[in-house]
Amino acid sequence: MKNQLNEKQLEAVQSISGPLLILAGAGAGKTKTITERVINIIKNGVEPENILCVTFTNKASKEMLERIIKRMEEESLVEKYTLEKNIFLRNKNLPTIKTFHSLGLLILKEFGRELGFHKNMVVLDSSDTNHMVKNIITSLGLDPKVHDPSKIKNAISREKSNWQTVEDYTKKVASYNMEIIEKVWRLYEKELRKQGTADFDDLIIKTVELLKSNNLVKETLQKRWKYIHVDEYQDTNDSQYEFIKELVEEKAKNLCVVGDIDQNIYSWRGANLKNILHFEKDFIGAKVILLEENYRSTQNILSLANISIQKNKARFPKNLFTNKNKGEEIEICPTFDEKLESDFIAKKIKELNRGGVELKNIAILFRTNFQSRILEEAMIKNAITYNLLGTKFFDRKEIKDVLSYLRGSQNRENLADLKRIFETPKKGIGKTTIAKIFAKDEASLPASALLKIQNVYSFLDKIDSDLKEGTKKLSEILQMIIVDSGIEEELLNGGSEEKDRLENIRELVSITKKFDEIAAIDALTIFLEETSLRSDQDDEDKEKEGVRLMTIHASKGLEFEYVFLVGLEQDLFPHIDIGNRKKSLEESEEERRLFYVAVTRAKKKLFLCYAELRTIYGEKKINIPSEFLDDVNELKTDEVIYHSVYYGSDTEIGNNKKKKKWEFGDDEWEEDFLEI
């Protein structure tokens, strides 16, 4: 494999001791480099189970595991086996490869008893936590319509990501709204502990708390994982930074982090750029290696990416290059308005498709979610198959209803699951009855209500028994839940929407078929972990047909042969928030990094699109082309094509056109212009 690595990749692979920072540009083969480094460490006598790799998404984790297993087989470091089965069995001859959150969940399940966590602890998703916060707001005598539960929960999450506790927050309370957040946060934490559950942030926060307070646990884990790798290090927040510091053994400091400052686009999630900028200060003696050779894009695309990102100040200097040819020209595509922009893109896509390009190799990227609507309309109008990233299968109500039975059978303290079970399908158990059950006031309930409750508990006991006896597969138990709970009958008696929900539930059974080779109780643990810790990109794990529509943020880590970047207008991209017309230097540089990420998703061809007129929040606005288009001026004339403004056919716009003079750097030309 060494002859397939470039000089810098090989240097990173062979540097196995002490702290190492790998600055890997977009498409520079970082996953291959990490994979080969893990293999080299094993070949140097380290047991695979002493190696830990941490990623940000399940998709990245799975890809890394698949690559490492394949290389271990090729090097005869492990016997051949089916990948799926051995992941489920937690094979001890493999490195541990986890997302930050799944790693935290693994540790809390093993060592979290002293913090009050159940061995079958449930991780609450955003809808569950928002519902919990809403109930707390109501219990305080406040109106949820005035005090938005999701905003309060987001504020709590942001503080947790910044490694802040409710006690820390109390010290800086300086307004009425902050007082409300503090009160809700205290009751929220109390309710989480009461149920023995955790939210997404707790998987990091509570794990770090455990490591800082319990030296025995910390030393146990440091001995278990002697070599640690962290992917996308530029995206770590303060709590994730603390997590890694606690896991790294202080003397050896065998920590390898891989990242790219130029792809830091998640400050709004708490990502702290200082973590990667200060790596050499945090880990004295660290080695730094730059990976600049790009294996994804043509040189024309990389030239634009380099020109643009070099204007940022907060970065390590690097220059992407490739051994590929210059490739096709970048096309600048102005249109009159957003409708014609979407029509133009649809027509281009049909041309590409007729020329042999598969739709799944085409992506349309946009800065904000609202831009997707008119693009979807154009895809439908032109009969173009498409997929909009963001519609999460596991967030659907019907899916969560079925999963609540599985989770409730293992943990009766999770009130969110119990409430779903009592209410779905309808069992004649009202809100008053549920409130009394949660208040431990069953004695005041009539015998008829108690019988209904007991029937629910008996059904949960049966599910638990089936799981533990090992005679049934998880998919069979899931099918039993759907039928015997009455969910199937209720949906069958409904309309077309209910039939669609039933199809989704049946798809859930199909998904669990892959667990059929292992014991149901083990399969349940892994399945619930997978479903509760999914990210946006993890819904991309199936090979989809059709054009991909997504925000630029969601596209990070992905690549496509043809990319349309739309809405390149000043104030839309770079984006200016309403009420905040002036961006800080940090915010402006992050917008440029976002442009860099979008450009480097393209492998063969890049289309940069913008509209002269766009309706935003119901108001038509004449737009100035984005400042990012100025970077195009620095490209050579054979690297870019400028189109005239697209107005559609004359029949669509009539004859109300005049000549308009355009200036683009040193170039100027005249084109038709529709008077407004």
Side-chain angles (χ1 to χ4, degrees):
M1 187 67 184
K2 288 183 179 179
N3 61 351
Q4 297 180 31
L5 297 168
N6 65 42
E7 181 182 346
K8 290 297 183 180
Q9 288 175 332
L10 184 58
E11 183 183 357
V13 166
Q14 293 177 338
S15 303
I16 62 175
S17 298
L20 173 65
L21 169 60
I22 301 175
L23 294 170
K30 65 182 178 66
T31 304
K32 179 172 73 172
T33 303
I34 296 174
T35 299
E36 291 307 311
R37 191 174 190 274
V38 168
I39 297 302
N40 191 41
I41 291 172
I42 296 172
K43 290 171 75 172
N44 275 271
V46 177
E47 294 297 326
E49 56 263 36
N50 292 143
I51 300 172
L52 170 67
C53 299
V54 187
T55 68
F56 269 84
T57 66
N58 290 325
K59 181 180 179 181
S61 177
K62 184 178 179 182
E63 179 186 355
M64 190 176 293
L65 182 57
E66 288 173 344
R67 289 200 191 193
I68 288 174
I69 288 175
K70 182 179 179 182
R71 289 290 293 122
M72 289 178 72
E73 290 178 346
E74 291 172 354
E75 297 286 344
S76 300
L77 297 172
V78 67
E79 63 182 25
K80 286 187 176 291
Y81 52 77
T82 51
L83 171 63
E84 294 282 340
K85 183 176 180 180
N86 277 267
I87 294 175
F88 299 152
L89 294 179
R90 299 290 194 256
N91 191 296
K92 291 186 178 180
N93 294 320
L94 295 177
T96 299
I97 303 176
K98 292 280 188 181
T99 64
F100 274 101
H101 293 94
S102 63
L103 179 62
L105 181 59
L106 176 72
I107 294 170
L108 289 177
K109 281 188 172 183
E110 186 173 353
F111 301 105
R113 291 294 183 87
E114 65 180 68
L115 296 180
F117 289 112
H118 194 282
K119 67 176 181 177
N120 294 314
M121 62 180 289
V122 171
V123 182
L124 301 182
D125 64 20
S126 59
S127 63
D128 290 333
T129 54
N130 285 341
H131 184 72
M132 185 182 290
V133 168
K134 182 179 180 181
N135 288 340
I136 292 170
I137 291 170
T138 303
S139 72
L140 290 170
L142 301 171
D143 186 353
K145 292 180 181 178
V146 177
H147 304 279
D148 188 336
S150 63
K151 288 184 178 179
I152 292 178
K153 176 59 184 64
N154 288 340
I156 294 170
S157 178
R158 186 168 55 251
E159 294 296 324
K160 285 186 174 185
S161 295
N162 291 332
W163 191 237
Q164 297 289 297
T165 65
V166 66
E167 284 72 26
D168 296 324
Y169 189 76
T170 300
K171 297 174 184 176
K172 58 183 182 182
V173 168
S175 67
Y176 174 70
N177 285 338
M178 292 179 76
E179 288 179 9
I180 298 299
I181 292 171
E182 180 203 5
K183 290 178 181 178
V184 172
W185 190 353
R186 286 191 181 280
L187 293 174
Y188 174 70
E189 292 295 331
K190 184 177 179 181
E191 189 62 29
L192 287 174
R193 299 293 80 79
K194 176 183 174 182
Q195 297 187 27
T197 59
D199 64 17
F200 219 54
D201 301 301
D202 281 339
L203 296 178
I204 309 296
I205 296 291
K206 295 301 178 182
T207 304
V208 177
E209 182 182 318
L210 176 65
L211 293 172
K212 285 181 176 292
S213 63
N214 192 318
N215 284 328
L216 180 59
V217 172
K218 180 162 71 172
E219 289 171 6
T220 299
L221 294 176
Q222 287 179 347
K223 288 178 182 177
R224 180 183 300 178
W225 296 313
K226 298 176 181 177
Y227 291 82
I228 299 176
H229 299 76
V230 183
D231 194 16
E232 304 287 7
Y233 192 67
Q234 79 281 349
D235 290 335
T236 53
N237 59 34
D238 291 347
S239 58
Q240 290 161 340
Y241 167 80
E242 293 289 339
F243 193 0
I244 294 301
K245 276 187 66 177
E246 292 299 319
L247 286 178
V248 175
E249 201 278 321
E250 193 170 344
K251 291 182 180 179
K253 295 181 181 176
N254 290 325
L255 171 65
C256 170
V257 302
V258 186
D260 182 8
I261 292 174
D262 296 335
Q263 295 187 73
N264 174 271
I265 58 174
Y266 292 120
S267 65
W268 50 280
R269 287 184 182 173
N272 191 339
L273 195 58
K274 292 179 181 178
N275 292 345
I276 191 168
L277 286 171
H278 293 174
F279 184 80
E280 293 173 270
K281 293 180 181 179
D282 293 334
F283 299 93
I284 304 300
K287 187 173 186 177
V288 180
I289 297 174
L290 267 66
L291 302 184
E292 298 175 289
E293 183 172 357
N294 179 284
Y295 295 91
R296 175 188 299 158
S297 307
T298 61
Q299 188 57 55
N300 282 349
I301 293 168
L302 296 182
S303 294
L304 176 58
N306 287 330
I307 287 169
S308 183
I309 201 63
Q310 284 168 6
K311 295 178 180 178
N312 273 5
K313 307 272 185 211
R315 64 187 299 266
F316 289 107
K318 68 176 185 303
N319 194 65
L320 294 180
F321 68 92
T322 182
N323 287 319
K324 293 183 178 182
N325 57 27
K326 289 175 68 70
E328 297 184 53
E329 299 98 331
I330 295 170
E331 295 193 27
I332 310 299
C333 312
T335 58
F336 172 63
D337 61 17
E338 70 270 30
K339 181 182 182 302
L340 290 171
E341 179 185 57
S342 60
D343 288 345
F344 171 81
I345 291 169
K347 289 176 181 179
K348 275 286 183 182
I349 288 172
K350 292 178 81 170
E351 286 177 18
L352 291 170
N353 191 225
R354 285 195 296 268
V357 179
E358 292 186 71
L359 293 179
K360 68 180 180 181
N361 293 324
I362 302 172
I364 306 174
L365 308 183
F366 38 85
R367 176 60 179 83
T368 57
N369 282 304
F370 82 83
Q371 293 173 260
S372 67
R373 180 194 59 80
I374 198 157
L375 291 164
E376 285 191 84
E377 289 178 3
M379 296 301 108
I380 294 169
K381 174 184 172 184
N382 289 274
I384 298 172
T385 304
Y386 73 95
N387 290 284
L388 178 64
L389 185 64
T391 305
K392 298 181 182 179
F393 179 79
F394 287 96
D395 279 351
R396 296 179 184 275
K397 178 186 181 299
E398 61 270 21
I399 300 301
K400 295 180 72 172
D401 287 341
V402 173
L403 291 181
S404 68
Y405 281 86
L406 284 173
R407 303 198 311 186
S409 73
Q410 302 303 296
N411 181 6
R412 304 288 175 85
E413 300 301 316
N414 185 353
L415 303 187
D417 281 332
L418 283 180
K419 187 172 186 296
R420 283 183 177 276
I421 293 166
F422 289 142
E423 293 179 340
T424 310
K426 295 176 182 177
K427 302 176 176 69
I429 301 174
K431 291 182 179 180
T432 302
T433 300
I434 294 173
K436 289 186 176 182
I437 295 168
F438 290 172
K440 308 294 184 184
D441 186 24
E442 290 94 336
S444 65
L445 291 172
S448 58
L450 287 173
L451 179 60
K452 293 173 184 176
I453 297 301
Q454 187 53 51
N455 287 338
V456 171
Y457 287 147
S458 296
F459 186 52
L460 294 178
D461 288 338
K462 182 181 186 310
I463 297 170
D464 181 50
S465 176
D466 285 347
L467 285 165
K468 291 174 179 175
E469 284 179 2
T471 56
K472 292 183 179 179
K473 301 170 183 176
L474 179 60
S475 59
E476 294 172 340
I477 295 172
L478 199 57
Q479 182 63 49
M480 180 270 292
I481 291 172
I482 294 167
V483 176
D484 291 358
S485 67
I487 290 176
E488 181 179 64
E489 182 181 0
E490 184 175 75
L491 294 177
L492 280 172
N493 291 329
S496 58
E497 185 176 333
E498 282 71 27
K499 302 293 193 306
D500 288 341
R501 289 180 179 177
L502 184 57
E503 288 300 316
N504 289 331
I505 290 173
R506 287 171 175 168
E507 175 63 18
L508 184 64
V509 176
S510 299
I511 291 171
T512 58
K513 287 281 186 182
K514 67 179 182 179
F515 298 90
D516 280 354
E517 291 187 27
I518 60 175
I521 191 66
D522 294 329
L524 175 64
T525 300
I526 299 154
F527 176 59
L528 290 180
E529 180 178 320
E530 282 188 0
T531 56
S532 64
L533 302 179
R534 295 178 73 86
S535 70
D536 289 351
Q537 284 191 13
D538 293 323
D539 287 333
E540 284 281 289
D541 54 3
K542 290 184 179 180
E543 192 67 24
K544 294 181 178 179
E545 298 299 324
V547 176
R548 242 71 68 89
L549 276 66
M550 65 185 75
T551 64
I552 302 167
H553 284 97
S555 75
K556 187 169 176 289
L558 304 178
E559 57 184 44
F560 307 93
E561 291 184 0
Y562 296 83
V563 169
F564 291 85
L565 179 54
V566 305
L568 275 163
E569 298 131 32
Q570 201 67 15
D571 293 356
L572 180 56
F573 190 29
H575 188 63
I576 295 292
D577 295 325
I578 292 178
N580 179 25
R581 304 300 298 173
K582 188 175 181 181
K583 278 189 176 292
S584 66
L585 176 62
E586 291 80 7
E587 291 171 325
S588 295
E589 292 207 346
E590 182 156 336
E591 287 294 303
R592 187 166 290 278
R593 290 194 293 269
L594 198 57
F595 178 67
Y596 172 86
V597 166
V599 168
T600 54
R601 296 313 94 197
K603 297 167 70 174
K604 289 185 177 181
K605 181 79 173 180
L606 178 64
F607 298 87
L608 303 179
C609 308
Y610 66 95
E612 290 187 327
L613 185 71
R614 187 178 299 273
T615 304
I616 299 180
Y617 305 113
E619 183 179 337
K620 291 186 181 295
K621 180 184 175 186
I622 300 174
N623 301 304
I624 299 171
S626 169
E627 65 189 66
F628 299 143
L629 289 172
D630 294 341
D631 302 334
V632 179
N633 296 336
E634 300 179 40
L635 294 174
K636 297 176 182 177
T637 55
D638 62 345
E639 294 175 335
V640 61
I641 295 174
Y642 294 100
H643 288 279
S644 296
V645 178
Y646 177 73
Y647 296 107
S649 66
D650 286 340
T651 56
E652 290 175 316
I653 63 172
N655 298 312
N656 193 24
K657 292 194 291 186
K658 290 186 176 181
K659 291 288 184 182
K660 177 179 179 180
K661 190 171 183 179
W662 279 81
E663 293 183 2
F664 228 120
D666 296 329
D667 298 325
E668 61 179 44
W669 68 96
E670 287 188 341
E671 63 188 22
D672 286 334
F673 173 62
L674 178 63
E675 264 197 328
I676 302 170

